[in-house]
Amino acid sequence: MSGRKKFIQQLGLMAGAFSVNSIFNQLQAAEISSANSQVKNLSPEAIASNEDYWSVIQQSYTVSPNIINLNNGGVSPAPRVVQEAVERYNKLSNEGPSYFMWRILDQGREPLRESLASLAGCEKEEIAINRNATEALNTIIFGLDLKAGDEVIGALLDYPNMVSAWKQRALREGVVYKQLSFSFPIENDEEIVAAYEKAITPRTKIIHVTHIVNWVGQIMPVRKISDMAHKYGIEVICDGAHSFGLLDFKIPDLHCDYFGTSLHKFLSAPIGSGMLYIKKEKIEKIWPLVSNPNPRSFDIRKFETLGTRSFPIEQGIGEAINFHNAIGSKRKEDRVRYLKNYWAEKVKEIPRVKIHTSLKPEYSCAICGFSIDGISPRELDSKLFSEYKIHTVPIVYDTANCVRVTPHVYTRLNELDKFVKAVGEIAAKK
C-alpha cells in the first residue's frame, strides 16, 4: 500500500484531531502531561500562581515578542498545534479540494460535535458548528417566530451585532425591543435579575442576556435570570462569546434555552470558528439562518448548511479542545483570573486610576477595564501602544468608558509588570 493511500485511509478512520495520532498527541500531550503530574498535589490556588507550570503552556504559543497583547477579548491566538493542524489540512485540501474536503476531512465533523458537546455538557444533537457567536446568535434571533408587538428584553451593553439584529427585527417586523441600562460593576445578582423582571410585560417572549459583558467583563447571573424568565413562560438566549472555554461551566447549568459562542476567543480555536447550542426540544421551531431542505426538522445539522466552508478550521477546533482539556477548564479559569487580579490589584493603588470591573471571582474573570482621570480611553490606549508596545482596546460605549485589558494563559507576569509600570508612568505625567 502506498504511503499516500495509507494516509488517506487513516484520516477517514481516525477522524483527525480525535484519534490517538492527533497532532496534539504527537507534539505536545506528553509535555503537558508531565507538567500536570508536577502539580497534581497542589491546591488550585497554588497551581494558578505556579510559573513553572504555566511556562510550559506559554511556550505552546507563537505570539509576537514585539508587542504585549492584552486584547485577548477580541480574538485569541491559537497554540502551535492548532495552527499546524489548520495548515496541514489546508494543504491537503488544496491537493484535491472536492475529494479531500468532502470525502475525507468532513468525516471529522461528527467526532468534533461529540467533543464539543462533552465540553459543553450537553447532547451532541444540541450542538451546531459554525463560524462565530454572531452567526450562532443571529440564527436564533432571526429564526424565532415572533410577530409585531412581541417584546424582547436585552441590554444596552449587549454586543453590537446582536443589538443590530434585534433592531432589524423591530424595524422590519414590528418586534418591540427593550434595552436595559446597567452601570457596571454590580456585585448583586438580585439587582440585575430584578431589572429584567421589572421590564417584563404580558407581551414579553424573549430575554437576551450576555454571559460575560465584553466591554467591562461583568459576569451576569444567567441561571438566575433564566429561572426567573421561565416562571413567566419566557425563553432565554445567552451570548456566551466570552465565557465558553474560559469559565468552568456546562451550558445546561445556565438553564438558558439558546446559547451561542465564538471558539476563537478563550478556547484558542482557529480564527473564524463558533458554536450554537439549542435545547433539543426547541430545534424544530427555529428557522435556519441559511436555507435548508427541511427547515422544520429536529436535526441540529440544519443550521450547518453553509455550502463550502473551511474543513481545516474544523479539524483545528478539535486540536484546540485537546489542548484545552489537557490543561483543564477549572485550572484555566483560575489562572486567567489570577492574571487579571495580578495587574488590577496593583494599578488600582496608583493615583488617578479607576477600576471599572469587580475583582470578586463571581463577577469577573479575564476582562477588566481601567481608566486614568483626565485621559480619554482612546488617548490612553494610544499611549500604551505607541510608547510601550502594549496592545489593549479603548471602550467608549454607553455607560462603559475605559480601556479594556484581557490576558490569556500565555501572558507572562513580566509582561503584566511592564504594563503596570506603564500605567504608573502615564498617570504621573498629568
Side-chain angles (χ1 to χ4, degrees):
M1 182 184 297
S2 71
R4 170 65 63 183
K5 186 175 182 180
K6 185 177 180 180
F7 176 58
I8 292 170
Q9 288 183 352
Q10 288 176 335
L11 278 176
L13 292 171
M14 300 190 308
F18 306 105
S19 74
V20 293
N21 288 324
S22 71
I23 295 175
F24 175 78
N25 283 339
Q26 292 177 42
L27 300 183
Q28 204 159 23
E31 184 180 26
I32 295 183
S33 178
S34 175
N36 286 338
S37 68
Q38 298 298 314
V39 298
K40 64 182 180 180
N41 295 322
L42 299 181
S43 68
E45 294 78 13
I47 296 174
S49 60
N50 187 302
E51 298 311 309
D52 288 339
Y53 175 79
W54 292 103
S55 69
V56 175
I57 308 303
Q58 291 159 0
Q59 291 166 25
S60 304
Y61 287 79
T62 61
V63 293
S64 171
N66 297 318
I67 66 170
I68 297 174
N69 180 24
L70 296 179
N71 184 23
N72 294 283
V75 61
S76 297
R80 185 179 292 103
V81 292
V82 174
Q83 296 178 52
E84 185 159 331
V86 174
E87 182 178 356
R88 180 178 299 184
Y89 293 119
N90 185 58
K91 288 180 178 178
L92 177 66
S93 295
N94 281 283
E95 290 183 17
S98 66
Y99 179 79
F100 290 114
M101 285 169 51
W102 295 105
R103 299 191 186 186
I104 303 299
L105 295 183
D106 197 29
Q107 295 182 48
R109 169 163 290 209
E110 292 309 312
L112 173 58
R113 191 187 318 280
E114 291 179 13
S115 189
L116 282 168
S118 177
L119 186 58
C122 64
E123 296 184 36
K124 69 175 184 177
E125 298 301 321
E126 296 177 313
I127 293 294
I129 302 158
N130 56 25
R131 294 171 290 192
N132 51 53
T134 294
E135 182 174 73
L137 293 166
N138 271 243
T139 296
I140 302 305
I141 292 170
F142 289 109
L144 286 161
D145 277 325
L146 299 176
K147 60 183 182 300
D150 287 344
E151 295 180 355
V152 175
I153 301 171
L156 288 166
L157 288 177
D158 287 331
Y159 193 70
N161 287 355
M162 314 318 151
V163 171
S164 295
W166 284 120
K167 286 183 175 179
Q168 183 170 313
R169 288 213 69 172
L171 183 65
R172 187 174 184 179
E173 303 161 77
V175 171
V176 177
Y177 177 43
K178 300 177 178 179
Q179 289 181 278
L180 305 179
S181 180
F182 293 102
S183 294
F184 296 126
I186 297 175
E187 297 175 339
N188 184 326
D189 287 350
E190 285 62 42
E191 177 183 341
I192 295 172
V193 175
Y196 284 95
E197 187 168 21
K198 184 178 179 180
I200 291 173
T201 77
R203 303 297 298 272
T204 304
K205 304 297 182 184
I206 299 290
I207 289 178
H208 180 115
V209 60
T210 304
H211 196 180
I212 297 181
V213 178
N214 74 292
W215 309 110
V216 292
Q218 175 86 27
I219 298 177
M220 299 288 273
V222 177
R223 179 169 180 155
K224 292 180 180 179
I225 293 170
S226 296
D227 290 345
M228 176 275 295
H230 290 156
K231 290 191 301 182
Y232 294 92
I234 297 167
E235 294 185 320
V236 176
I237 301 171
C238 179
D239 179 345
H242 288 265
S243 62
F244 193 76
L246 173 65
L247 302 183
D248 181 28
F249 73 100
K250 303 299 184 183
I251 294 176
D253 295 343
L254 302 177
H255 292 183
C256 60
D257 302 280
Y258 312 99
F259 181 97
T261 188
S262 292
L263 302 176
H264 51 241
K265 293 184 186 291
F266 292 99
L267 189 64
S268 287
I271 297 168
S273 58
M275 185 186 82
L276 168 66
Y277 160 88
I278 301 179
K279 279 186 177 179
K280 197 170 184 180
E281 64 271 20
K282 298 178 183 293
I283 293 171
E284 180 189 25
K285 73 174 186 176
I286 302 297
W287 295 92
L289 188 63
V290 180
S291 61
N292 181 275
N294 300 298
R296 287 315 224 187
S297 79
F298 287 97
D299 192 345
I300 193 72
R301 294 159 190 80
K302 71 182 182 181
F303 303 112
E304 296 175 350
T305 49
L306 302 175
T308 304
R309 59 191 182 276
S310 176
F311 293 100
I313 283 179
E314 291 183 3
Q315 289 294 315
I317 296 171
E319 297 292 359
I321 295 172
N322 291 338
F323 183 79
H324 173 90
N325 287 340
I327 300 171
S329 296
K330 179 64 164 59
R331 188 173 291 173
K332 186 175 182 181
E333 175 184 342
D334 289 347
R335 172 61 175 184
V336 177
R337 183 177 285 112
Y338 169 80
L339 293 173
K340 184 277 306 291
N341 288 340
Y342 181 88
W343 73 263
E345 293 286 359
K346 290 177 169 60
V347 302
K348 75 175 186 177
E349 303 302 325
I350 298 174
R352 299 174 53 230
V353 171
K354 178 182 178 181
I355 296 293
H356 293 252
T357 304
S358 171
L359 298 187
K360 293 183 177 179
E362 61 267 39
Y363 295 110
S364 71
C365 185
I367 297 172
C368 184
F370 83 102
S371 62
I372 298 177
D373 290 344
I375 306 177
S376 73
R378 290 188 177 89
E379 182 184 2
L380 178 52
D381 172 73
S382 178
K383 284 180 177 292
L384 284 168
F385 192 78
S386 62
E387 298 178 19
Y388 301 94
K389 293 298 179 287
I390 298 172
H391 176 50
T392 56
V393 61
I395 301 297
V396 182
Y397 191 84
D398 188 50
T399 57
N401 199 288
C402 60
V403 166
R404 187 183 74 184
V405 178
T406 317
H408 204 337
V409 290
Y410 67 84
T411 305
R412 300 171 186 270
L413 292 190
N414 67 340
E415 294 176 322
L416 295 178
D417 289 336
K418 291 176 182 177
F419 168 68
V420 171
K421 183 173 183 291
V423 172
E425 290 176 354
I426 293 171
K429 289 179 181 178
K430 284 193 177 182

